[in-house]
Amino acid sequence: MSRNLKTAFLIFCDLICILIASILAFLIRFDFVIPVKFFGTFARTLPFLIPIRIGSYYIFGLYNRLWQYASVREIWIIVKAGTIASLGDWLFLHSLQKTGFPRSITLLIWLLNIILVGGIRFLIRFRHEFAPKGLTGGTGGSTNGSNGGSKIWLRGLRGPHRLRTLIIGAGQAGNIVARELRSHRELPYEAVGFIDDDPSKQGYRIADLPVLGTHRDLPRIIRSHNVREVIIAMPSAPGSVVKEIVEICKGQGVNLKTLPGMYELINGKVSVRAIRDVQIEDLLRRDEIRVDLKSIAGYLCGERVLVTGAGGSIGSELSRQIARFNPAELILLGHGENSIYEIEMEFRATRPDVRIAPVIADIRDQDKIDKVFSRFRPDVVFHAAAHKHVPLMEANPDEAMTNNIFGTWNVASAADRYGAKRFVLISTDKAVNPTSVMGCTKRAAEIVIQMLNRTSKTKFVAVRFGNVLGSRGSVVPLFKKQIALGGPVTVTHPDMMRYFMTIPEAVQLVIQAAAMGEGGEIFVLDMGQPVRILDMARDLIRLSGFEPDRDIKIEFVGVRPGEKLFEELLTAAEGTVATRHKRIFIAKGNPAFDGTLEEFFETCRQIATAGAGEGAGDALVSWIRQLTDAGTNWANGDFRAGTSGTPRGNGNPGASSQGRSGR
């Protein structure tokens, strides 16, 4: 049925309801004997009352809603529309008439219209909820006649291939999941009930499904109800809760599914399409991130925003989340044409309302970057482009320096020249007490923007965080590939530990930190507790349906060049200053430099000139650590290889201050 035909049908039904409600109101009021005097008055005003009522229904959207998905919100809209229409009744029947028309009639008409109009619409909802898909035009419909439709109906309602499903979490998300599963009968799930630890929910029914017990009852309930699928419907639950559920369900012969965390459900929409297998990210999930939408919208809405490295893991997610705040233009800059093409096509399909400008450029090309800024004049710059792989940069220190230091300077100085309002550098925990070339180049990039901030009107800030799960070249995709090949899974060291965040979680905090920046700050994100890589490998093997060291072997291959056993987000001397966001801190340390940017870059050039030769990486590490640790005269410092005496490749630089400074 076309939209116009549906609207005409509903209007016709509403006209019938108006007439029936009016007649019933008179019959009820006058004990089924209607006085001609009052009914005549009402009949004369009916041509005025009907357009008012239909118009009120139209204004409140009663003709442009899909009533098969109606909820309590739609009931309230029907009540409001009926009330406004009845005010018109009151005006014509009481204020403009002098016949003493009974007020009770108007009240009865108001009530009966709401009941009848709402009843018709909820019949549509009822039909969609309980009618077979083959008869309602759903995806289970048949084109082969009524017999085929009946077969699909029976198969859709209940069948041997449908999986008996238990929903963990009887809150709002669980309720939505239960209703969605019932509405999408083409899916192979048959919900049997809920699990919830809230005592006030025990023994009750939600969405017509019973709350069967708490998470401690899982093994018993799985056996007694022949459960084959478990859906964790708790988007805001921390990773420890998800991990406990995974452990309880281990060996029960069930498939585990989950909803993504709230920081992944950016628009807050929960649906069956979001249900997926439990992933390693879910075991590390933290509390829901609460961002200050007003402050973020204040610096992004209506502005031209440039993201460098927009085709990468962090840059692409930055672009997606920035698009939520309606920028005037989103410039997607990257060096690889394929990655920029992919993110451009994604935006064309999912966010056609956002004006985007894909740009292929190398941040090391100063002239090209200048032309980009001259053309687009961005107001806000997120600089995510960088070389990040530690072992590769150990072997190529000159490339690390030209990209991470000089490339950052090209973009940052252009932001200064062309009057950008904010510049946000994406930094890393490897910039703290750096023992790797990559970490040193990122620390140097932090120094560059802090020095530039002293004289610029642009607000330059850096945001420092640890590893992000699932980014290109990170440990999780590597482990997944190794598991898919049957192992072994390679771990560098049994005591290797790292801080982890999911990409959406890190990006939301980056955008929030940028809103708070006044210029010169290094923001530090609270990464939670560090995770042992060995434990992560074992969890990932189990989530893949195998047992570690039995089905999939784990091998230790040794610490790679430039790596530490433990990463830090702060030096012991830095400490933190709290911000208004409980997950974001500011590093207090801000070393005093006596020299100029020209002197700084001259030293960088001297080291970079050494290329990939022996000692170039050690020279860089030695020099940057002098700047960070000793506060020496950095412009004239001795940056020969080995002067710092810091071992590289097996660093364990003492106790980390992250998590120990009043957090």
Side-chain angles (χ1 to χ4, degrees):
M1 187 184 294
S2 69
R3 178 171 180 170
N4 290 337
L5 198 57
K6 288 179 182 177
T7 301
F9 175 74
L10 281 175
I11 291 175
F12 174 76
C13 291
D14 289 342
L15 289 172
I16 299 299
C17 288
I18 291 170
L19 295 175
I20 292 174
S22 302
I23 293 171
L24 280 176
F26 275 95
L27 291 173
I28 293 171
R29 170 64 178 80
F30 294 106
D31 295 328
F32 293 88
V33 179
I34 303 175
V36 176
K37 172 185 175 183
F38 293 135
F39 193 77
T41 300
F42 180 78
R44 287 193 299 272
T45 58
L46 202 56
F48 302 100
L49 301 182
I50 288 177
I52 291 174
R53 188 166 292 277
I54 297 296
S56 176
Y57 293 169
Y58 182 84
I59 291 171
F60 278 91
L62 266 62
Y63 300 118
N64 64 359
R65 295 176 183 273
L66 292 174
W67 290 98
Q68 58 265 44
Y69 304 112
S71 63
V72 174
R73 185 182 296 273
E74 276 69 31
I75 294 176
W76 174 236
I77 290 170
I78 291 171
V79 171
K80 288 194 293 184
T83 302
I84 295 298
S86 292
L87 290 177
D89 293 353
W90 193 277
L91 177 67
F92 276 94
L93 293 173
H94 301 286
S95 299
L96 301 181
Q97 302 285 340
K98 297 183 179 179
T99 57
F101 195 87
R103 290 178 175 82
S104 56
I105 292 290
T106 312
L107 292 174
L108 285 169
I109 290 174
W110 168 76
L111 179 61
L112 291 169
N113 266 297
I114 288 173
I115 293 172
L116 293 173
V117 170
I120 284 178
R121 282 154 177 81
F122 276 85
L123 276 176
I124 299 172
R125 174 75 175 92
F126 181 85
R127 178 176 178 270
H128 177 81
E129 184 83 11
F130 296 103
K133 286 293 177 181
L135 302 178
T136 60
T139 56
S142 173
T143 59
N144 298 323
S146 60
N147 189 36
S150 299
K151 289 180 180 178
I152 289 176
W153 170 24
L154 293 174
R155 187 173 70 238
L157 287 177
R158 189 179 297 271
H161 71 290
R162 291 181 64 79
L163 301 172
R164 292 178 64 78
T165 303
L166 187 65
I167 301 171
I168 300 183
Q172 183 177 7
N175 190 4
I176 293 173
V177 168
R179 294 181 186 279
E180 285 266 299
L181 293 182
R182 185 179 292 123
S183 298
H184 293 77
R185 296 181 185 276
E186 70 276 12
L187 296 173
Y189 302 116
E190 180 188 348
V192 299
F194 292 98
I195 288 289
D196 200 290
D197 287 347
D198 186 350
S200 65
K201 295 177 181 176
Q202 301 303 315
Y204 286 91
R205 299 182 73 86
I206 298 172
D208 202 32
L209 292 172
V211 178
L212 298 170
T214 68
H215 77 277
R216 294 182 181 84
D217 302 316
L218 267 170
R220 174 183 59 79
I221 293 170
I222 288 172
R223 290 192 300 270
S224 63
H225 287 77
N226 195 26
V227 171
R228 289 292 173 263
E229 203 87 5
V230 173
I231 297 176
I232 304 172
M234 299 184 294
S236 16
S240 58
V241 172
V242 179
K243 189 167 186 176
E244 184 180 1
I245 292 170
V246 171
E247 286 295 319
I248 293 174
C249 291
K250 187 171 64 177
Q252 298 296 324
V254 296
N255 296 319
L256 275 169
K257 304 283 185 182
T258 188
L259 292 176
M262 286 307 299
Y263 47 82
E264 294 176 83
L265 293 169
I266 292 173
N267 58 5
K269 185 178 180 181
V270 177
S271 74
V272 291
R273 293 177 182 174
I275 296 173
R276 54 164 171 75
D277 291 333
V278 175
Q279 299 171 359
I280 191 69
E281 290 91 332
D282 300 304
L283 307 188
L284 302 177
R285 186 191 295 171
R286 283 174 284 277
D287 292 340
E288 176 186 354
I289 296 173
R290 299 190 181 277
V291 295
D292 183 353
L293 295 177
K294 185 176 181 181
S295 67
I296 291 175
Y299 83 93
L300 291 178
C301 182
E303 303 283 13
R304 295 178 299 275
V305 183
L306 168 66
V307 179
T308 71
S313 305
I314 296 294
S316 59
E317 183 64 21
L318 265 170
S319 303
R320 293 183 193 100
Q321 296 199 27
I322 290 168
R324 299 169 55 205
F325 299 98
N326 301 314
E329 188 171 23
L330 184 55
I331 304 106
L332 308 173
L333 186 148
H335 190 210
E337 61 168 326
N338 290 332
S339 58
I340 293 298
Y341 171 78
E342 288 172 3
I343 189 66
E344 179 194 7
M345 289 300 100
E346 178 184 325
F347 270 95
R348 300 289 186 207
T350 61
R351 295 303 303 264
D353 57 311
V354 177
R355 183 182 175 189
I356 62 170
V359 176
I360 305 300
D362 189 335
I363 61 172
R364 294 175 292 189
D365 186 341
Q366 189 172 29
D367 291 338
K368 175 67 174 181
I369 293 300
D370 191 85
K371 289 176 183 176
V372 170
F373 274 80
S374 175
R375 175 186 173 188
F376 294 103
R377 304 276 175 161
D379 302 296
V380 183
V381 179
F382 288 91
H383 181 46
H387 286 331
K388 64 178 185 178
H389 297 288
V390 171
L392 277 177
M393 294 306 102
E394 288 297 307
N396 300 276
D398 54 333
E399 286 295 310
M401 294 183 70
T402 55
N403 196 74
N404 293 359
I405 301 177
F406 294 112
T408 296
W409 164 252
N410 290 339
V411 180
S413 60
D416 174 43
R417 286 194 306 278
Y418 288 95
K421 298 175 184 177
R422 294 175 190 266
F423 181 98
V424 185
L425 169 69
I426 306 300
S427 191
T428 171
D429 56 358
K430 294 171 180 60
V432 183
N433 287 327
T435 61
S436 66
V437 168
M438 194 282 279
C440 285
T441 57
K442 294 300 284 185
R443 177 60 187 138
E446 291 179 354
I447 293 171
V448 166
I449 68 161
Q450 283 187 308
M451 295 180 71
L452 194 54
N453 185 77
R454 294 173 178 174
T455 57
S456 177
K457 292 182 180 179
T458 302
K459 295 178 179 179
F460 288 90
V461 301
V463 182
R464 190 188 285 169
F465 55 90
N467 296 35
V468 287
L469 287 166
S471 63
R472 294 175 187 170
S474 64
V475 67
V476 171
L478 173 62
F479 285 170
K480 287 181 177 179
K481 288 180 181 178
Q482 292 174 335
I483 292 169
L485 293 172
V489 171
T490 56
V491 177
T492 54
H493 191 283
D495 295 326
M496 181 73 72
M497 300 186 77
R498 288 292 182 268
Y499 293 101
F500 282 99
M501 270 187 170
T502 66
I503 295 174
E505 181 183 19
V507 165
Q508 285 186 42
L509 288 174
V510 167
I511 295 174
Q512 178 68 74
M516 299 187 291
E518 294 299 325
E521 300 99 336
I522 295 179
F523 289 99
V524 181
L525 304 188
D526 180 1
M527 300 290 294
Q529 295 300 315
V531 177
R532 199 161 66 136
I533 302 298
L534 178 58
D535 293 338
M536 179 179 288
R538 287 171 173 162
D539 285 337
L540 199 54
I541 291 170
R542 291 191 182 100
L543 288 176
S544 302
F546 303 104
E547 274 299 312
D549 296 320
R550 187 186 70 188
D551 304 315
I552 302 288
K553 297 295 184 183
I554 296 177
E555 289 185 0
F556 299 105
V557 296
V559 179
R560 298 175 299 179
E563 285 188 328
K564 303 177 183 178
L565 288 182
F566 307 97
E567 294 289 3
E568 304 160 282
L569 290 172
L570 295 165
T571 65
E574 280 181 323
T576 59
V577 175
T579 69
R580 63 178 180 267
H581 196 290
K582 67 177 183 178
R583 301 280 299 279
I584 302 173
F585 298 83
I586 300 173
K588 290 190 297 187
N590 189 15
F593 298 113
D594 298 327
T596 64
L597 271 169
E598 289 74 16
E599 293 172 310
F600 182 87
F601 282 115
E602 179 57 32
T603 303
C604 289
R605 289 187 191 97
Q606 291 180 39
I607 297 175
T609 301
E614 286 290 330
D618 288 330
L620 176 65
V621 172
S622 173
W623 177 55
I624 292 295
R625 285 186 67 89
Q626 283 186 47
L627 304 188
T628 303
D629 296 342
T632 57
N633 185 345
W634 61 274
N636 300 307
D638 181 3
F639 52 86
R640 292 171 297 176
T643 56
S644 71
T646 302
R648 300 212 301 132
N650 60 349
N652 181 0
S656 167
S657 61
Q658 203 280 346
R660 294 175 174 84
S661 298
R663 298 197 185 187

